[in-house]
Structures are given as structure tokens and as C-alpha cells.
Amino acid sequence: MANETISFSARILRKQPDLPRYIVVDPDHVTGRQSAFAAKVSLNGCPEFDRNIRPWGKGSDVFFFNLTEPQCRKAGADTGDVCEVSIRPLA
């Protein structure tokens, strides 16, 4: 997989209002990864921002990353919206 940019559509999720928003990354998008990694992320073509992409754990093979309110606002996206995600691994 190296450091190729990964692009896909995903829904912005949130378990409850006092917790951060997040996006789930299907393991097919991060083939060969088993641990957390640093990346540049873009939502809906907006400028990239730094995120750590982490394994969900708890017996699941998916990964995830959290989103801040300003990151969602810049992308014109909110909880429940489907957006275009680009992940560029840094290592």
C-alpha cells in the first residue's frame, strides 16, 4: 500500500453529542496495516489536515479517525452526511 492516497466515500458518524465525530475506514482501504498510522486527510476536496488513523480494536478489523467541528465545517459536512474522504499515509 505504501504512501498512496486512498479515496472513498464514507458517512460521518457520532455516537452521542458530547463525543467527537468520526469516520470508519474499511480494512480494504488500508490493506497491510495493522496498527495506527499518521496521515494527511481531506474531506470533500478541502485542504488536508493531520490525523492518526487507528484500528478500532475490540475484535474488529476496521480503522477510524476522529473529526473536529472546524474540520467538518470547512468541508460543509455534518454528522450523518456522506463525504468524499482522501487519506495520504505519511509512513
Side-chain angles (χ1 to χ4, degrees):
M1 187 185 98
N3 293 1
E4 300 169 9
T5 299
I6 307 148
S7 297
F8 56 94
S9 296
R11 187 172 307 278
I12 298 173
L13 303 171
R14 186 182 232 173
K15 289 186 178 183
Q16 58 190 52
D18 61 331
L19 293 176
R21 292 173 178 90
Y22 62 96
I23 286 182
V24 174
V25 181
D26 188 285
D28 291 340
H29 297 308
V30 290
T31 304
R33 301 267 183 185
Q34 295 180 356
S35 58
F37 61 95
K40 294 287 189 179
V41 174
S42 174
L43 299 180
N44 292 337
C46 288
E48 293 179 321
F49 51 90
D50 295 324
R51 287 285 91 182
N52 288 314
I53 315 299
R54 297 183 170 94
W56 189 272
K58 303 176 186 172
S60 177
D61 59 352
V62 301
F63 285 68
F64 78 100
F65 62 91
N66 289 330
L67 294 169
T68 66
E69 175 71 29
Q71 290 163 344
C72 289
R73 195 175 330 112
K74 286 178 186 174
D78 202 353
T79 304
D81 291 350
V82 173
C83 63
E84 290 303 311
V85 179
S86 292
I87 298 175
R88 183 170 53 91
L90 296 178

